[in-house]
Amino acid sequence: MLDKFMQAKAGELKALRELKAGGGTLEEYQGPRPGFREAVAGPGPAIIAEYKRSSPSRGVINEELSPQKAVQEFMSGGAAAFSVLTEEEYFGGRLEYLEEFAGHGVPVLRKDFIFDYLQVEQTAATPASALLLIARVVKDLGLLSDLIRVSRIHNLEPVVEIFAPRELDMVRQAGADIIMVNNRDLDRLTVDLDMSRSLVPQKKPQEVWICASGIDNSAQVDELYGLGFDAFLIGTSIMSCDQPGEKLKELFP
């Protein structure tokens, strides 16, 4: 699946390279970028509400909920941050959605398949506060280290995602301090919260950990927060509801 997702970025990368080769530049966003780490590491469990219109595992989730309405719902539900899918082919996202979610004092995470410096520059031209880097996509330690460094140069906070225990040492060596554990098996597209349960005892005091995939009730949030997670990225369970804001409220212990 990851190979397909990366291949889907080929056209976007081609356009970015052509722009660069032609002497064009992406003007860096000069407005405020609310702090992502600060927002999700506060007292009590933080929920990162994700705007995800569709996914390979679920198909169409909710194409009727507009970004403007989603912002209202997510804020009323107490979201500490927004995660916005910008991948178009498989997740129904758009880069422009980042602007729709910005400007409300809540940090925005760009969630996409980012593995090239030009994609970091592209993100820096938006109001996003953070961007996602996936260890299984950026497999080279040197490249991951550089993408983390370049992100920070552009005042973007890198959130580095792992899917397996063996990836934890690598992302730490690369300099990651905001680590997201995804409970999804990418081969079978199944979800098992035991991935988070088994990994979180290795969390270090200076790190912020986010749990992703499979969270849909307050008991899970309460348990995993008690084990050490700071925040929970939740998309499908809130996007599939008629009133996402009310569902968000129900997720807090």
Side-chain angles (χ1 to χ4, degrees), residues 32-42 80-81 105-108 128-130 155 157 178:
R33 300 187 194 272
F36 183 85
R37 180 190 177 104
E38 181 182 2
V40 303
V106 178
V108 181
S129 293
N155 295 315
E157 297 178 71
I178 305 176

Side-chain angles (χ1 to χ4, degrees), residues 106-127:
V106 178
V108 181
L109 165 68
R110 181 192 180 187
K111 193 173 179 186
D112 209 321
F113 301 92
I114 296 173
F115 49 90
D116 190 285
Y117 301 104
L118 293 177
Q119 292 172 291
V120 177
E121 293 181 9
Q122 180 191 44
T123 309
T126 77

Side-chain angles (χ1 to χ4, degrees), residues 12-118:
E12 181 180 300
L13 277 168
K14 182 174 182 289
L16 289 171
R17 291 182 182 120
E18 289 175 349
L19 176 68
K20 192 86 167 181
T25 58
L26 291 168
E27 186 174 345
E28 187 157 329
Y29 176 73
Q30 297 300 315
R33 300 187 194 272
F36 183 85
R37 180 190 177 104
E38 181 182 2
V40 303
I47 293 181
I48 304 162
E50 183 162 271
Y51 187 68
K52 178 169 65 174
R53 293 159 62 89
S54 61
S55 76
S57 60
R58 288 288 299 268
V60 174
I61 299 170
N62 189 341
E63 292 185 333
E64 303 302 317
L65 184 66
S66 69
Q68 297 89 345
K69 179 63 175 174
V71 167
Q72 295 174 11
E73 292 282 345
F74 292 174
M75 291 187 71
S76 73
F82 304 140
S83 170
V84 178
L85 263 296
T86 59
E87 197 284 322
E88 296 189 24
E89 184 172 340
Y90 292 96
F91 293 89
R94 294 183 64 84
L95 192 68
E96 292 77 15
Y97 290 158
L98 295 171
E99 293 188 14
E100 303 277 4
F101 280 86
H104 303 279
V106 178
V108 181
L109 165 68
R110 181 192 180 187
K111 193 173 179 186
D112 209 321
F113 301 92
I114 296 173
F115 49 90
D116 190 285
Y117 301 104
L118 293 177

Side-chain angles (χ1 to χ4, degrees), residues 73 76-77 238 241-251:
E73 292 282 345
S76 73
I238 59 174
C241 291
D242 292 333
Q243 295 181 301
E246 292 303 311
K247 176 63 177 178
L248 268 173
K249 292 175 184 177
E250 294 173 5
L251 289 168

